[in-house]
Amino acid sequence: DQQVKQNSPSLSVQEGRISILNCDYTNSMFDYFLWYKKYPAEGPTFLISISSIKDKNEDGRFTVFLNKSAKHLSLHIVPSQPGDSAVYFCAASVDNAGNMLTFGGGTRLMVKP
Amino acid sequence: EPEVTQTPSHQVTQMGQEVILRCVPISNHLYFYWYRQILGQKVEFLVSFYNNEISEKSEIFDDQFSVERPDGSNFTLKIRSTKLEDSAMYFCASSRQGVAYNEQFFGPGTRLTVL
Protein backbone atom coordinates (compact mmCIF):
# COMPACT_ATOMS: atom_id res chain seq x y z
CA ASP A 1 0.00 0.00 0.00
CA GLN A 2 1.83 3.11 -1.25
CA GLN A 3 -0.92 5.69 -0.98
CA VAL A 4 1.45 8.09 0.80
CA LYS A 5 5.12 8.12 -0.15
CA GLN A 6 8.17 9.92 1.10
CA ASN A 7 10.81 9.19 -1.48
CA SER A 8 13.78 10.51 0.45
CA PRO A 9 14.68 8.26 3.37
CA SER A 10 17.15 10.81 4.70
CA LEU A 11 18.13 14.45 4.40
CA SER A 12 21.15 16.27 5.77
CA VAL A 13 21.10 20.06 6.20
CA GLN A 14 23.39 22.64 7.74
CA GLU A 15 22.13 24.52 10.78
CA GLY A 16 20.47 27.79 9.79
CA ARG A 17 19.58 26.62 6.29
CA ILE A 18 16.21 25.52 4.97
CA SER A 19 15.06 21.91 5.24
CA ILE A 20 12.54 20.76 2.64
CA LEU A 21 10.81 17.44 3.18
CA ASN A 22 8.59 16.09 0.44
CA CYS A 23 5.59 13.81 0.34
CA ASP A 24 3.45 12.45 -2.51
CA TYR A 25 0.07 10.79 -2.37
CA THR A 26 -2.07 8.88 -4.82
CA ASN A 27 -5.53 8.80 -3.23
CA SER A 28 -7.48 11.80 -4.54
CA MET A 29 -9.97 11.36 -1.70
CA PHE A 30 -7.40 12.58 0.83
CA ASP A 31 -8.25 16.10 1.89
CA TYR A 32 -6.39 16.61 5.12
CA PHE A 33 -2.65 16.30 5.56
CA LEU A 34 -0.41 16.33 8.60
CA TRP A 35 3.27 16.28 9.45
CA TYR A 36 4.56 14.46 12.49
CA LYS A 37 8.02 14.44 14.02
CA LYS A 38 9.35 11.37 15.77
CA TYR A 39 12.33 10.86 18.02
CA PRO A 40 13.61 7.35 18.81
CA ALA A 41 11.61 5.54 21.51
CA GLU A 42 8.86 8.17 21.40
CA GLY A 43 5.52 8.44 19.68
CA PRO A 44 4.91 10.73 16.69
CA THR A 45 4.46 14.37 17.71
CA PHE A 46 2.02 16.48 15.71
CA LEU A 47 3.73 19.42 13.98
CA ILE A 48 1.47 21.09 11.46
CA SER A 49 -1.46 20.30 9.21
CA ILE A 50 -3.19 21.59 6.11
CA SER A 51 -6.63 21.17 4.66
CA SER A 52 -7.12 20.67 0.94
CA ILE A 53 -8.90 24.01 0.72
CA LYS A 54 -5.58 25.73 1.38
CA ASP A 55 -2.24 25.63 -0.39
CA LYS A 56 -0.10 26.92 2.47
CA ASN A 57 -0.11 26.86 6.25
CA GLU A 58 2.56 28.44 8.40
CA ASP A 59 3.43 28.00 12.07
CA GLY A 60 6.62 29.65 13.22
CA ARG A 61 9.59 28.04 11.50
CA PHE A 62 7.37 25.38 9.88
CA THR A 63 5.43 25.87 6.65
CA VAL A 64 3.50 23.21 4.79
CA PHE A 65 2.70 23.62 1.09
CA LEU A 66 0.07 21.61 -0.73
CA ASN A 67 -0.13 21.16 -4.49
CA LYS A 68 -3.37 19.28 -5.06
CA SER A 69 -3.01 18.96 -8.80
CA ALA A 70 0.38 17.29 -8.34
CA LYS A 71 -0.75 15.39 -5.23
CA HIS A 72 2.33 16.68 -3.50
CA LEU A 73 3.03 18.36 -0.21
CA SER A 74 6.17 19.64 1.39
CA LEU A 75 7.33 20.77 4.80
CA HIS A 76 9.76 23.66 5.00
CA ILE A 77 11.73 24.28 8.16
CA VAL A 78 13.61 27.55 8.28
CA PRO A 79 15.98 28.13 9.87
CA SER A 80 16.84 24.53 10.65
CA GLN A 81 18.18 23.78 14.13
CA PRO A 82 20.07 20.74 15.45
CA GLY A 83 17.05 19.94 17.66
CA ASP A 84 15.02 19.44 14.50
CA SER A 85 16.96 16.24 13.82
CA ALA A 86 14.34 13.48 13.88
CA VAL A 87 12.26 11.33 11.55
CA TYR A 88 9.45 13.28 9.87
CA PHE A 89 6.28 11.53 8.72
CA CYS A 90 3.62 12.92 6.49
CA ALA A 91 0.14 11.53 6.94
CA ALA A 92 -3.16 11.94 5.14
CA SER A 93 -6.80 11.34 5.86
CA VAL A 94 -10.15 11.52 4.19
CA ASP A 95 -12.65 14.01 5.53
CA ASN A 96 -12.33 15.10 9.07
CA ALA A 97 -12.36 14.06 12.69
CA GLY A 98 -12.19 10.41 13.54
CA ASN A 99 -10.83 9.01 10.33
CA MET A 100 -7.70 6.89 10.02
CA LEU A 101 -4.37 8.41 9.10
CA THR A 102 -2.30 6.89 6.31
CA PHE A 103 1.39 7.47 6.90
CA GLY A 104 4.37 7.81 4.60
CA GLY A 105 7.55 5.91 5.32
CA GLY A 106 9.33 8.84 6.94
CA THR A 107 12.38 10.97 6.19
CA ARG A 108 15.25 11.14 8.66
CA LEU A 109 16.41 14.74 8.93
CA MET A 110 19.88 15.46 10.26
CA VAL A 111 20.72 19.08 10.97
CA LYS A 112 24.44 19.59 11.37
CA PRO A 113 25.77 22.34 13.65
CA GLU B 1 0.17 20.10 28.50
CA PRO B 2 -2.13 17.06 28.39
CA GLU B 3 -0.70 13.97 26.74
CA VAL B 4 -1.57 10.41 25.84
CA THR B 5 0.06 7.85 28.13
CA GLN B 6 0.66 4.15 27.51
CA THR B 7 1.62 1.21 29.70
CA PRO B 8 3.71 -0.83 29.74
CA SER B 9 6.54 0.73 27.77
CA HIS B 10 7.84 -2.74 26.88
CA GLN B 11 6.01 -6.06 26.96
CA VAL B 12 7.67 -9.40 26.30
CA THR B 13 5.44 -12.42 25.81
CA GLN B 14 5.50 -15.96 24.54
CA MET B 15 3.81 -16.83 21.26
CA GLY B 16 0.20 -17.83 21.86
CA GLN B 17 -0.18 -15.77 25.02
CA GLU B 18 -2.70 -12.98 25.46
CA VAL B 19 -1.51 -9.43 25.97
CA ILE B 20 -3.34 -6.27 26.93
CA LEU B 21 -1.86 -2.90 26.06
CA ARG B 22 -3.18 0.07 27.97
CA CYS B 23 -3.65 3.69 27.04
CA VAL B 24 -5.02 6.77 28.76
CA PRO B 25 -6.14 9.22 26.06
CA ILE B 26 -6.27 12.98 26.56
CA SER B 27 -9.23 13.63 28.83
CA ASN B 28 -11.46 15.76 26.59
CA HIS B 29 -10.84 13.62 23.51
CA LEU B 30 -13.56 11.33 22.24
CA TYR B 31 -11.93 9.55 19.29
CA PHE B 32 -9.36 6.85 20.08
CA TYR B 33 -7.04 4.91 17.83
CA TRP B 34 -4.43 2.17 17.78
CA TYR B 35 -1.60 2.12 15.29
CA ARG B 36 1.46 -0.08 15.06
CA GLN B 37 4.91 0.17 13.54
CA ILE B 38 6.86 -2.97 12.77
CA LEU B 39 10.60 -2.30 12.89
CA GLY B 40 11.72 -0.59 9.70
CA GLN B 41 8.19 -0.26 8.32
CA LYS B 42 5.49 2.40 8.16
CA VAL B 43 3.14 3.37 10.94
CA GLU B 44 -0.04 1.39 10.18
CA PHE B 45 -3.60 2.03 11.30
CA LEU B 46 -5.29 -0.74 13.27
CA VAL B 47 -8.58 0.57 14.63
CA SER B 48 -10.54 3.66 15.62
CA PHE B 49 -13.11 3.85 18.39
CA TYR B 50 -15.84 6.36 19.08
CA ASN B 51 -18.91 6.38 21.29
CA ASN B 52 -18.03 2.96 22.71
CA GLU B 53 -17.81 1.19 19.42
CA ILE B 54 -15.34 0.52 16.64
CA SER B 55 -15.80 3.09 13.87
CA GLU B 56 -13.16 1.80 11.47
CA LYS B 57 -10.64 -1.04 11.35
CA SER B 58 -7.93 -2.23 9.01
CA GLU B 59 -7.27 -5.69 7.59
CA ILE B 60 -4.64 -6.17 10.27
CA PHE B 61 -7.29 -5.92 12.99
CA ASP B 62 -8.60 -9.48 12.75
CA ASP B 63 -10.45 -11.64 15.27
CA GLN B 64 -7.34 -11.90 17.43
CA PHE B 65 -7.57 -8.21 18.25
CA SER B 66 -10.12 -6.39 20.36
CA VAL B 67 -10.44 -2.96 21.94
CA GLU B 68 -12.26 -1.78 24.99
CA ARG B 69 -12.88 1.32 27.01
CA PRO B 70 -13.52 -0.35 30.38
CA ASP B 71 -13.91 2.89 32.34
CA GLY B 72 -13.89 6.62 31.74
CA SER B 73 -10.17 6.90 31.22
CA ASN B 74 -8.53 3.73 29.87
CA PHE B 75 -8.53 2.44 26.32
CA THR B 76 -7.10 -1.05 25.82
CA LEU B 77 -5.93 -3.22 22.95
CA LYS B 78 -6.04 -6.96 23.52
CA ILE B 79 -4.30 -9.54 21.38
CA ARG B 80 -5.75 -12.94 22.25
CA SER B 81 -3.08 -15.28 20.93
CA THR B 82 0.07 -13.47 19.97
CA LYS B 83 2.12 -14.40 16.92
CA LEU B 84 5.76 -13.65 16.18
CA GLU B 85 4.65 -11.14 13.54
CA ASP B 86 2.76 -9.13 16.16
CA SER B 87 6.11 -7.86 17.45
CA ALA B 88 5.99 -4.10 16.88
CA MET B 89 5.63 -0.70 18.53
CA TYR B 90 1.97 -0.09 19.31
CA PHE B 91 0.85 3.51 19.48
CA CYS B 92 -2.37 4.77 20.96
CA ALA B 93 -3.73 8.11 19.75
CA SER B 94 -6.70 10.34 20.48
CA SER B 95 -8.41 13.33 18.91
CA ARG B 96 -11.15 15.77 19.77
CA GLN B 97 -14.71 15.73 18.60
CA GLY B 98 -16.25 18.55 16.66
CA VAL B 99 -13.15 19.93 15.08
CA ALA B 100 -12.84 20.29 11.38
CA TYR B 101 -9.46 18.70 11.21
CA ASN B 102 -8.18 15.29 12.15
CA GLU B 103 -5.25 16.12 14.44
CA GLN B 104 -4.40 12.95 16.30
CA PHE B 105 -2.11 13.00 19.33
CA PHE B 106 0.03 9.95 19.96
CA GLY B 107 1.32 8.26 23.08
CA PRO B 108 4.93 7.13 23.51
CA GLY B 109 4.15 3.58 22.45
CA THR B 110 4.43 0.07 23.84
CA ARG B 111 7.13 -2.14 22.38
CA LEU B 112 5.68 -5.65 22.10
CA THR B 113 8.16 -8.49 21.68
CA VAL B 114 6.72 -11.94 20.95
CA LEU B 115 9.15 -14.80 21.47
Side-chain angles (χ1 to χ4, degrees):
Chain A
D1 180 359
Q2 295 288 313
Q3 292 191 74
V4 179
K5 289 179 69 172
Q6 294 175 254
N7 290 317
S8 298
S10 65
L11 174 68
S12 183
V13 169
Q14 204 67 35
E15 180 179 6
R17 306 296 272 274
I18 185 171
S19 296
I20 300 177
L21 298 107
N22 294 303
C23 179
D24 298 292
Y25 62 96
T26 57
N27 187 343
S28 57
M29 298 297 291
F30 288 145
D31 57 5
Y32 187 58
F33 306 90
L34 310 90
W35 284 94
Y36 285 85
K37 174 180 175 180
K38 187 180 180 303
Y39 294 114
E42 294 184 12
T45 301
F46 171 73
L47 268 180
I48 192 169
S49 60
I50 189 166
S51 162
S52 60
I53 62 173
K54 292 185 174 183
D55 55 18
K56 177 182 174 182
N57 188 26
E58 192 171 350
D59 183 3
R61 296 186 298 113
F62 301 91
T63 303
V64 56
F65 295 92
L66 175 63
N67 182 334
K68 281 179 59 180
S69 61
K71 294 191 176 69
H72 177 84
L73 63 154
S74 60
L75 175 68
H76 292 209
I77 307 172
V78 55
S80 302
Q81 299 173 353
D84 296 330
S85 298
V87 178
Y88 289 78
F89 292 96
C90 69
S93 75
V94 174
D95 208 7
N96 51 26
N99 288 321
M100 60 174 281
L101 297 180
T102 300
F103 281 83
T107 296
R108 180 177 302 279
L109 173 66
M110 292 162 285
V111 180
K112 297 179 180 177
Chain B
E1 188 174 319
E3 57 184 22
V4 177
T5 60
Q6 291 185 241
T7 53
S9 57
H10 192 183
Q11 174 87 49
V12 181
T13 190
Q14 294 290 324
M15 190 169 57
Q17 295 296 304
E18 175 183 286
V19 293
I20 297 176
L21 310 183
R22 292 181 168 80
C23 168
V24 179
I26 295 173
S27 61
N28 64 344
H29 288 189
L30 294 176
Y31 291 93
F32 314 116
Y33 314 84
W34 284 100
Y35 291 80
R36 78 173 186 190
Q37 186 180 27
I38 295 171
L39 189 63
Q41 298 186 22
K42 289 186 177 186
V43 176
E44 303 173 287
F45 170 77
L46 293 178
V47 66
S48 58
F49 191 85
Y50 171 71
N51 200 25
N52 283 320
E53 60 182 27
I54 290 173
S55 50
E56 193 173 11
K57 61 182 181 179
S58 71
E59 291 177 353
I60 303 167
F61 195 88
D62 61 22
D63 291 345
Q64 292 302 308
F65 291 85
S66 62
V67 288
E68 195 178 32
R69 188 153 163 83
D71 52 43
S73 60
N74 289 285
F75 178 52
T76 62
L77 174 70
K78 182 193 288 187
I79 310 175
R80 287 188 186 81
S81 178
T82 50
K83 307 183 190 71
L84 295 176
E85 54 265 37
D86 293 328
S87 294
M89 281 290 290
Y90 287 80
F91 296 107
C92 173
S94 67
S95 64
R96 292 179 291 165
Q97 183 185 26
V99 292
Y101 304 127
N102 195 10
E103 296 169 6
Q104 298 179 16
F105 295 86
F106 285 75
T110 293
R111 179 173 299 283
L112 177 64
T113 303
V114 182
L115 302 175

